[in-house]
Amino acid sequence: MSETTIYEHILIVSANSVSMSQIYEKNHKRIYDFLYKYTQNADTAMDLMQDSFLSFHKHYANAGLSEERAIMVLYTIARNLSINYAKKFSTTRELVSEEMEYHSHNPKLEVQAEYQDLEDRLYSFLGELSEEERSALLLKNVEGFQLAQIANILDVSVSTASRLVIRATEKVITIAKRENLVPD
């Protein structure tokens, strides 16, 4: 490469890359939410989120990744850390449900509490899915990623990512029917 070409390449990489602080500021809440939904534990999600960014910084801070690619790498790291954590601490997890008493006859609060209970119960079903199914379902339906992005994060083909989302959705529907949350 000539000097001009090298300089142009550096400018292109610099223009396309995003700083670590920008990546953190824009994405730490999303990564935390993803990990929380995956682990169902706020402290664990926070620890794993911090570990994800530390690992990203250690291995990719100077890689000149575009923002979109950096986010995909972050989700991959977060997912892998949560899988490792689950394997390390694979004891039976008790589902803690806080009994909430509303001393109000406000229908909006009651409906909101019912929806929150339903959401909590649906997230508890994720434990019955395989790691890949859980990741694919969360990335698709909660994080809003496209199948190509999910395939990239999970390191599988797009068709495999599609099958994982479909299979996970079918399993959650089956579990919801079993638990009488939806009609047969």
Side-chain angles (χ1 to χ4, degrees):
M1 279 190 198
S2 69
E3 282 187 41
T4 308
T5 309
I6 292 171
Y7 179 72
E8 289 171 353
H9 177 72
I10 292 170
L11 286 177
I12 290 169
V13 168
S14 297
N16 290 337
S17 65
V18 61
S19 77
M20 211 35 226
S21 62
Q22 288 173 317
I23 292 170
Y24 180 82
E25 286 303 316
K26 285 184 174 181
N27 299 291
H28 75 277
K29 290 177 184 169
R30 286 178 63 191
I31 297 293
Y32 171 82
D33 288 344
F34 171 72
L35 288 165
Y36 179 78
K37 288 172 176 112
Y38 201 93
T39 63
Q40 293 292 299
N41 183 296
D43 292 334
T44 301
M46 183 61 74
D47 290 344
L48 292 174
M49 186 261 312
Q50 291 171 353
D51 289 346
S52 297
F53 278 96
L54 287 173
S55 180
F56 180 86
H57 178 69
K58 181 179 179 182
H59 299 286
Y60 298 96
N62 297 319
L65 300 175
S66 67
E67 184 175 2
E68 181 180 347
R69 182 68 184 134
I71 293 167
M72 296 297 109
V73 169
L74 263 170
Y75 272 97
T76 301
I77 292 169
R79 176 184 174 270
N80 290 338
L81 286 174
S82 62
I83 289 170
N84 292 341
Y85 178 85
K87 286 179 182 176
K88 187 175 181 180
F89 299 101
S90 64
T91 59
T92 305
R93 186 173 54 185
E94 280 186 39
L95 295 176
V96 179
S97 64
E98 296 178 15
E99 304 246 350
M100 298 163 65
E101 291 186 31
Y102 290 101
H103 301 292
S104 167
H105 296 331
N106 184 340
K108 286 184 180 180
L109 286 178
E110 292 172 8
V111 169
Q112 184 178 4
E114 287 176 16
Y115 281 136
Q116 185 62 49
D117 180 56
L118 179 61
E119 182 180 347
D120 292 344
R121 290 182 70 190
L122 286 171
Y123 279 123
S124 73
F125 299 161
L126 295 177
E128 296 186 36
L129 303 177
S130 73
E131 296 292 339
E132 284 189 325
E133 291 168 341
R134 184 179 323 144
S135 296
L137 191 66
L138 287 173
L139 290 169
K140 177 72 174 154
N141 295 318
V142 177
E143 299 299 323
F145 284 118
Q146 301 297 318
L147 289 174
Q149 295 170 310
I150 295 168
N152 190 3
I153 292 169
L154 300 179
D155 195 25
V156 297
S157 68
V158 174
S159 61
T160 300
S162 175
R163 283 192 302 273
L164 287 168
V165 170
I166 291 168
R167 192 174 350 152
T169 303
E170 289 171 349
K171 283 184 178 180
V172 168
I173 290 170
T174 300
I175 296 166
K177 285 179 181 177
R178 180 187 76 207
E179 298 293 324
N180 296 318
L181 292 180
V182 293
D184 289 327

